[in-house]
Amino acid sequence: AVTVLNYGDITASGNAGIFLAGGGPVTNQADGTISGAFGVLANYVAATVVNNGTIIGTQVAGIGLFSGGDVTNQIDGIIGGYHAITAYKALTLVPGGTIAGYRGGIGLFAGGTVSNQSGGTISGMVGIYSPSAAVTVVNAGTILGGMTTAFMGGVVLLGGGTISNET
């Protein structure tokens, strides 16, 4: 595992800004920027990402956690991309800043938990999407979906789950 603590700029033109083959924690501080096709990508083991800066996926996702993990986006943090966050195993997410994806804000393909804090915004054609596994959503902020067609909207949980809107 690798530990990344970023205060500056990490940029990749065609790959991941940070690729964690062995997992580990990534902390992106307020002045930090991470960008690449994926901003942060962890394929093989779960990873933890704490963001208070900017993480951008220029081609795919701001954060791609193929083995799940944890993401905390602080109130000043920005995570964006075609998909802002994509996880293919269970993910625990605490967003407090801005999570914005052109296509999807958060895609949870194996379930998980999203606790959107007061002041947090999650947006995309679909704000939060899970096609097959149960997801728990606790929302004290704003979740926006830009499409009104079938399977698009603010929160789409095709695998079931629980939504608690506290605002």
Side-chain angles (χ1 to χ4, degrees), residues 87-112:
Y88 290 92
K89 291 197 178 175
L91 176 73
T92 299
L93 177 64
V94 179
T98 301
I99 296 175
Y102 169 74
R103 179 77 174 156
I106 301 168
L108 300 172
F109 294 87

Side-chain angles (χ1 to χ4, degrees), residues 60-120:
V60 187
I63 299 174
L65 300 180
F66 287 67
S67 294
D70 299 293
V71 175
T72 299
N73 195 39
Q74 305 292 346
I75 195 69
D76 292 326
I78 298 170
I79 301 171
Y82 185 75
H83 301 282
I85 299 172
T86 302
Y88 290 92
K89 291 197 178 175
L91 176 73
T92 299
L93 177 64
V94 179
T98 301
I99 296 175
Y102 169 74
R103 179 77 174 156
I106 301 168
L108 300 172
F109 294 87
T113 301
V114 177
S115 298
N116 192 25
Q117 304 297 310
S118 178

Side-chain angles (χ1 to χ4, degrees), residues 15-156:
N15 297 304
I18 296 174
F19 174 64
L20 300 170
V26 173
T27 301
N28 192 37
Q29 299 295 342
D31 292 333
T33 299
I34 301 169
S35 66
F38 284 91
V40 176
L41 175 62
N43 271 27
Y44 307 111
V45 298
T48 298
V49 179
V50 177
N51 181 49
N52 199 33
T54 302
I55 299 174
I56 300 294
T58 59
Q59 298 171 22
V60 187
I63 299 174
L65 300 180
F66 287 67
S67 294
D70 299 293
V71 175
T72 299
N73 195 39
Q74 305 292 346
I75 195 69
D76 292 326
I78 298 170
I79 301 171
Y82 185 75
H83 301 282
I85 299 172
T86 302
Y88 290 92
K89 291 197 178 175
L91 176 73
T92 299
L93 177 64
V94 179
T98 301
I99 296 175
Y102 169 74
R103 179 77 174 156
I106 301 168
L108 300 172
F109 294 87
T113 301
V114 177
S115 298
N116 192 25
Q117 304 297 310
S118 178
T121 300
I122 301 168
S123 65
M125 288 185 188
V126 180
I128 299 171
Y129 176 74
S130 179
S132 58
V135 171
T136 298
V137 177
V138 178
N139 181 43
T142 302
I143 301 173
L144 303 168
M147 298 292 287
T148 58
T149 58
F151 308 119
M152 300 285 192
V155 179
V156 177

